[in-house]
Every structure is written in C-alpha cells, then in structure tokens.
Amino acid sequence: MSDILHTEVAIVGGGLAGLTLGIALASHGVDTVIVDREDPAKALAAGFDGRVSAIALASQRMLASIGLWRHVSEAQPMWDIRVSDGDSPLFVHYDHAVLGEDPFGWLVENRVMRQAQQAALADHPGLRLLAPLGVASVERGQPGSGAPAQLTLDDGRKVSARLVVGADGRGSAIRQAAGIKTMAWAYRQTGIVCTVWHERPHHGVAQERFLPAGPFAILPMTDEAAQDGAAGRHRSSLVWTEPPERAEAILALDEAGFVAEMRQRFGDHFGALGLVGPRWSYPLSFLHAERYVDHRLALVGDAAHGIHPIAGQGLNLGLRDVAALTEAVVLARRLGLDPGQADVLEGYEDWRRVDTVVLSAVTDVLTRLFSNDIAPLRLARDLGLGLVQQIPPAKTFFMRHAMGDVGKLPKLLRGERV
C-alpha cells in the first residue's frame, strides 16, 4: 500500500484548465494530485506557445478568488471591442463604459499564465504535481461498488482517487479510454499566431476583422518594457486565419514578405509594423464530447469541447467548467457525499451542457457565415452587424456575454468563495 498515493481528486493534464482546476480545488481544501506528461520547465519556455488568451471579466474574478491572479505579471485590459466585415463601413463597437468601469477582460500571454500557475502551486503544499509523467491506465471499477478509481502511472506508481478529471486536451486519452464518443471536424483553416509591434498605441481595443479566408484578430498586449530610458514598443497579438495551403506559403516567407502580407490585412491605422519573436501555426477544428461525465470521471476544457477561436472564448469555456466542477465537488464534500458519485457529476454536466452547446454552435455558425466571400451572405452579415450596432439591448447582451457575465454563474465566476 505504500506505493499507492491516495487523494480525493486526480487531474490528468496540467494545461491551463487542469492546473487552474487543481489550484481552485486546493484553495478550498480538496486534496488533489495533477499528473501531466509535459515538463513544467519546457512549458514555461518562451518558444513553447505564442498564443495570447482573452480572460473574460468573470473568469478573472475566479482567478482572483482562488489566489491565482495575483501571480499574473502582465495583463492588458480590453476596454473596447470592434468587429467589422472586411472593408465594409458597417461594424459593431462595444464600449466597456456602457456597462461600468470594468474592462471586458484581460489579454494574457499563455506563457505568463503558466508562470502564474506555477507560482500559485507553491501556495498549496498539499497540491501535488507529478510531471513529466504519463498515465498508463485507469481503473474506475463498477458503479455502485463504492471503490475509488486507480491510476497506474508510467513509472509504476499508483494513484487512488474518488474522482478522476480528464483535462488532457482534444486528443484526451482519458476520454477515449472511457469510450466517450465525440462529434468533431476540421475547418480547413490554419491559425497563424505572432506578436507584432506597431508605431501607434492600441488603447486597449481588440479588433476582429472578418476576411474571406477567416477571421483576422488584433489583440492588444502590454507594451514592451522600457529600456535605457526609452519607452517600450506597442504590441499586439495577431491571430490570422488562412486555408492550410495558403498559411504554409505565408509562413515560409521571410520576415519582410510576411510583414508585407500582414500589412495588407492590418491596414495603416497603427503606423509602422514589425514582428516580435517567432511565428506559430495551429490547425483549427471543432470537437464536442457526447457526455462530460462517466463513472468517477469528469471532463473539463478541451477534453470536453474544442471550438474555433473566432470569439476568443475557448479558454473561458474551460474556466467555466473549472468553476462549476469546483463548486460541485466542494459542496458534495460539505454534505459528506462522495465527489465522484453519479448525482454529483450529473449535476456538473447539466450545469455546463447548455452553455457549452450554445456557444459551440454559435462559433461554428459564425465561422461558416463569415469565412467566405459569397455576395448574399456578405450583405446579410453586414446588415446584421449594422443592426446590432443600432439596437442597444442587443449590444448590451453581447457585451455581457463577452464579459462572461450571463446565465447562472458558479460562485467563483461571481468572485465569491464556494
């Protein structure tokens, strides 16, 4: 028995959703183990991931309430959002001041978020991260037996847990081992990601331009640090969507050619442009699990659902999973219930399913509607943008949605402790 590590919750996957869940549970006194194949040091390297995530206001409230946000070293407030369709004069402009003093959210580099998570681990000595280490097998026993689940790790150690959480991404081995089917397809789009410096300030405005090949998003970032008394350059993160063949050709260009292609889509309102660091690319796809739970198992984040980045809500969708599952587990423990029992997990699934299905469907429809140059569709979507701009109740709803402040929110998303 000395070779078995006993815990209440075992999380497989230490990405942005998995580590945040571990910190959320540990901050409420839940004994938790995280197992991740990735080397933590490698995940913190500058070249590991060039993406920037939009952290909605509600998600930031949760990160603050579990003590993680105080470790975030750089975060750019997103004060306004501007959505336009190519060169059409019709657009939607969301102004945070309509709703109050808070921004819609913050733009944080994934690398910075991982640094914050690693720092937050030190706040919870009882939260154990086993990495780099894989899971060889999972035995969850028979429903009704009362026996805990048992994970066998690649090094032969075993972990016994009342609840196993699959947070191991879209290709989740935990989901596959449970026989949970998915609905999935590729968009035949590649997302090109890079950081850009520009001459003029962005004023905290996030821009999304819909071009025939797909969305072209300009996301404000913090300025570079000042050096030798000179102010740092203004920076934005670029998420540029192209068909795979075209993306490959663009990525193969030298820096001058790449910047020239970028400028054609960027416009000249930011003045001079240039690259900061390397370029990355990611294939874009859709995935939705037929269910999020099974016997002593729950899925969170990309293991349960993966959406197109068109609205920048992918991570927020996973963080809402984290908030809901944390509340379900903590309340179950207070009632003396087994956090892995069926009714506790069914409550989590019921809470998350409607929100996830609706947002997944909306992003898929928007991707198909805007990623083309068909004249009747172009006219319809331009009129739609113009109508939303002119109808205050509609704008208010979409602005609140961008903040993550709609529907029945778990306590953590309201900034409260469970």
Side-chain angles (χ1 to χ4, degrees):
M1 296 299 291
S2 60
D3 292 334
I4 299 179
L5 179 61
H6 294 272
T7 188
E8 291 181 86
V9 179
I11 302 170
V12 181
L16 296 182
L19 271 177
T20 301
L21 176 62
I23 294 164
L25 291 170
S27 73
H28 286 83
V30 181
D31 193 38
T32 306
V33 169
I34 303 171
V35 185
D36 188 32
R37 288 188 178 276
E38 199 65 66
D39 183 345
K42 180 181 177 182
L44 295 180
F48 181 76
D49 183 352
R51 288 171 292 186
V52 170
S53 290
I55 307 296
L57 176 63
S59 297
Q60 184 270 341
R61 291 186 194 128
M62 178 184 74
L63 299 180
S65 68
I66 63 175
L68 199 161
W69 188 254
R70 67 188 181 89
H71 294 292
V72 175
S73 59
E74 297 179 26
Q76 169 62 50
M78 182 167 50
W79 296 112
D80 288 24
I81 301 172
R82 182 185 173 98
V83 181
S84 60
D85 186 14
D87 296 324
S88 169
L90 299 175
F91 62 89
V92 176
H93 178 230
Y94 299 143
D95 182 352
H96 78 285
V98 173
L99 300 179
E101 298 181 356
D102 293 318
F104 288 104
W106 283 260
L107 280 305
V108 182
E109 294 176 68
N110 286 4
R111 175 182 57 85
V112 171
M113 185 60 68
R114 289 190 176 91
Q115 290 173 340
Q117 290 176 319
Q118 293 292 333
L121 287 175
D123 297 337
H124 306 285
L127 175 58
R128 290 157 287 183
L129 172 62
L130 307 180
L133 193 58
V135 176
S137 64
V138 180
E139 296 292 335
R140 293 181 288 117
Q142 295 297 318
S145 67
Q150 185 167 276
L151 284 67
T152 301
L153 308 183
D154 286 345
D155 63 0
R157 280 184 290 174
K158 298 183 185 297
V159 178
S160 174
R162 310 304 299 179
L163 172 63
V164 176
V165 179
D168 49 341
R170 297 193 187 201
S172 172
I174 297 298
R175 183 191 66 231
Q176 293 174 23
I180 298 176
K181 297 179 181 179
T182 62
M183 178 171 58
W185 53 77
Y187 283 111
R188 278 200 49 77
Q189 291 180 334
T190 295
I192 300 170
V193 177
C194 60
T195 299
V196 179
W197 66 262
H198 42 87
E199 180 182 7
R200 301 184 187 121
H202 49 57
H203 301 296
V205 179
Q207 301 192 41
E208 184 149 37
R209 300 185 65 206
F210 292 117
L211 302 176
F216 185 89
I218 306 168
L219 307 176
M221 297 172 64
T222 56
D223 288 348
E224 286 183 332
Q227 294 183 354
D228 300 326
R233 294 178 297 184
H234 307 300
R235 299 186 306 159
S236 290
S237 175
L238 188 64
V239 183
W240 173 0
T241 309
E242 292 283 351
E245 302 83 2
R246 179 63 178 154
E248 184 177 358
I250 291 172
L251 288 165
L253 295 171
D254 62 15
E255 183 169 335
F258 184 87
V259 171
E261 287 282 344
M262 183 175 66
R263 176 175 285 284
Q264 290 182 14
R265 297 156 178 82
F266 219 102
D268 60 2
H269 53 284
F270 281 150
L273 300 172
L275 280 175
V276 180
R279 311 164 227 173
W280 289 265
S281 65
Y282 304 91
L284 304 182
S285 60
F286 176 96
L287 179 143
H288 190 262
E290 65 176 3
R291 61 184 189 279
Y292 309 156
V293 302
D294 202 277
H295 175 58
R296 294 205 177 280
L297 173 66
L299 302 177
V300 300
D302 284 357
H305 41 69
I307 63 175
H308 194 285
I310 191 168
Q313 290 298 311
L315 177 58
N316 291 298
L317 204 57
L319 294 180
R320 292 204 285 274
D321 295 344
V322 168
L325 186 58
T326 298
E327 187 160 331
V329 169
V330 171
L331 293 182
R333 291 175 74 251
R334 287 181 186 161
L335 294 172
L337 302 176
D338 182 339
Q341 69 185 48
D343 55 348
V344 173
L345 298 182
E346 288 167 1
Y348 159 70
E349 182 176 50
D350 290 345
W351 200 348
R352 293 300 303 130
R353 179 166 290 278
V354 173
D355 173 43
T356 303
V357 168
V358 169
L359 185 57
S360 298
V362 167
T363 56
D364 183 64
V365 169
L366 287 176
T367 299
R368 297 176 188 279
L369 177 63
F370 282 95
S371 298
N372 62 73
D373 200 26
I374 301 172
L377 289 179
R378 188 171 65 246
L379 175 61
R381 67 199 186 209
D382 289 351
L383 291 175
L385 290 175
L387 284 173
V388 171
Q389 176 68 14
Q390 298 299 322
I391 302 175
K395 280 187 68 174
T396 298
F397 172 79
F398 288 119
M399 285 191 287
R400 290 198 178 280
H401 202 285
M403 288 181 167
D405 205 9
V406 295
K408 180 187 176 186
L409 296 180
K411 288 184 177 181
L412 287 175
L413 294 178
R414 302 198 300 264
E416 304 171 9
R417 301 285 294 170
V418 178

